[in-house]
Amino acid sequence: MFRAAASLSARRLSSLSAVASPAAATAGARRQAPLDEGDWCYHREWWGEDDGPGEGANSVFRRHSEFGNGVVSVHAYPASRPASEEWPAVERWLQERNARIYPDSTGADQFKILGYQWRVMRFNDHTRQSTAKVMAFYKTSGHPSFYLMQQPHCLAVPYIKSMVSAGLTALPCSSYDLPGAAYGLNSMKILCIGQGGGSLPLFLASKFRGAAVHVVEIDPVVVSASIEAMGFPVSSVKELSSQSMLPADIDELLWGGIHDRLFLHIADAEDFIASDSNQYDLVFIDAYDGDDIFPRKLWDADGAFIKNLEKEGAS
């Protein structure tokens, strides 16, 4: 299952729905779909079953982990949004950006969207580790090329939204210039412990132009899954074997520099922070293993990890 926070959010949403008045329900039926593509109302598209992916899920990644996560798998589910009538505008956006980056292409490269999907990472086919929305598309010219682009604006899991909200609320309370970081007027250093599908670091890097986001993930299989099956930018990854990596030449086209501010390290978090010289403005810790257990060393106040974080002066 998702973390307790996600389950709690789901229960609260259910209870709110149960006590809603008939008039509110009628108004809701007439209301347009939420602008937020990660709104909880879409969770039925990707939730599956409590004991597994459920019917209609397509397995797109499956590999055994040697770091306590058991079998790491990713399943795909159809996404209802964006609607197909919106796809041509995105195809034109790809075409225009490609022409700016490769002016000699003379319009030869054409891009076609195949569709949008939810991609859900699970440990041992049971624990929902993370959820992301991806765009699948291909290039028609030259060698046939298929690409995935994770949608950075889409946070589908409630507890991730809660983490972001709490962290970004705390910074202004510490007199931090958050709008300046959003517009790239001042620098911001963020540390994320645990990669999963990468939706949290990708969201932060896309929304804050001044942010350098460092991610630490101990399991190379999780990193491979996030790149190969969940559309995370490959060029941000450090210490990943070439056999596990997809071509990185598409990153500039898709991310326009966002990927240059993402630094994904394959390392033990305790070892990483012991040797890291960065001083972070914000730290997010979301690291659970295949048994849905949060490692003690990452929350023990007397442990080396927390003490080294305090030594670095992280907010």
Side-chain angles (χ1 to χ4, degrees), residues 12-260:
R12 286 175 176 171
L13 284 168
S14 299
S15 64
L16 287 173
S17 299
V19 299
S21 66
T26 302
R30 293 194 301 265
R31 191 171 57 233
Q32 293 183 344
L35 294 177
D36 176 12
E37 292 182 26
D39 191 276
W40 184 249
C41 72
Y42 297 110
H43 80 280
R44 292 180 180 85
E45 295 182 356
W46 55 262
W47 186 259
E49 304 293 338
D50 287 339
D51 58 353
E55 295 183 5
N58 179 31
S59 178
V60 294
F61 183 97
R62 189 174 184 85
R63 203 169 296 170
H64 180 74
S65 164
E66 297 181 358
F67 288 84
N69 292 323
V71 175
V72 178
S73 63
V74 179
H75 289 82
Y77 303 81
S80 60
R81 294 186 60 196
S84 57
E85 55 265 25
E86 300 176 52
W87 299 359
V90 181
E91 292 169 347
R92 288 193 296 272
W93 172 78
L94 288 169
Q95 189 70 28
E96 291 168 0
R97 175 169 283 190
N98 185 75
R100 289 196 299 271
I101 298 172
Y102 306 106
D104 295 334
S105 63
T106 64
D109 294 333
Q110 299 292 323
F111 299 92
K112 293 295 181 183
I113 294 177
L114 294 171
Y116 290 80
Q117 292 181 329
W118 297 104
R119 297 287 178 98
V120 180
M121 183 186 294
R122 282 182 169 82
F123 292 162
N124 293 319
D125 292 325
H126 178 68
T127 301
R128 297 179 188 85
Q129 205 285 332
S130 57
T131 300
K133 179 178 284 189
V134 302
M135 176 180 72
F137 69 100
Y138 67 99
K139 186 169 66 175
T140 59
S141 60
H143 296 291
S145 303
F146 172 79
Y147 303 103
L148 292 176
M149 179 186 184
Q150 188 172 144
Q151 303 300 281
H153 59 277
C154 186
L155 294 177
V157 184
Y159 87 89
I160 295 292
K161 291 181 176 179
S162 298
M163 287 174 61
V164 172
S165 298
L168 297 182
T169 300
L171 280 180
C173 294
S174 303
S175 301
Y176 184 85
D177 182 12
L178 198 59
Y183 288 106
L185 301 178
N186 60 279
S187 61
M188 179 184 194
K189 288 188 178 180
I190 302 174
L191 176 64
C192 296
I193 303 298
Q195 160 76 351
S199 59
L200 175 59
L202 195 52
F203 175 87
L204 294 168
S206 67
K207 298 300 182 184
F208 294 92
R209 298 177 185 175
V213 184
H214 290 259
V215 190
V216 181
E217 171 58 54
I218 193 173
D219 193 343
V221 173
V222 170
V223 172
S224 294
S226 69
I227 296 167
E228 298 173 24
M230 303 185 79
F232 192 81
V234 63
S235 58
S236 63
V237 185
K238 317 301 177 186
E239 306 95 20
L240 188 62
S241 66
S242 58
Q243 292 86 352
S244 302
M245 296 178 69
L246 299 177
D249 59 352
I250 197 68
D251 278 356
E252 183 61 33
L253 171 68
L254 296 180
W255 303 109
I258 292 174
H259 61 295
D260 293 329

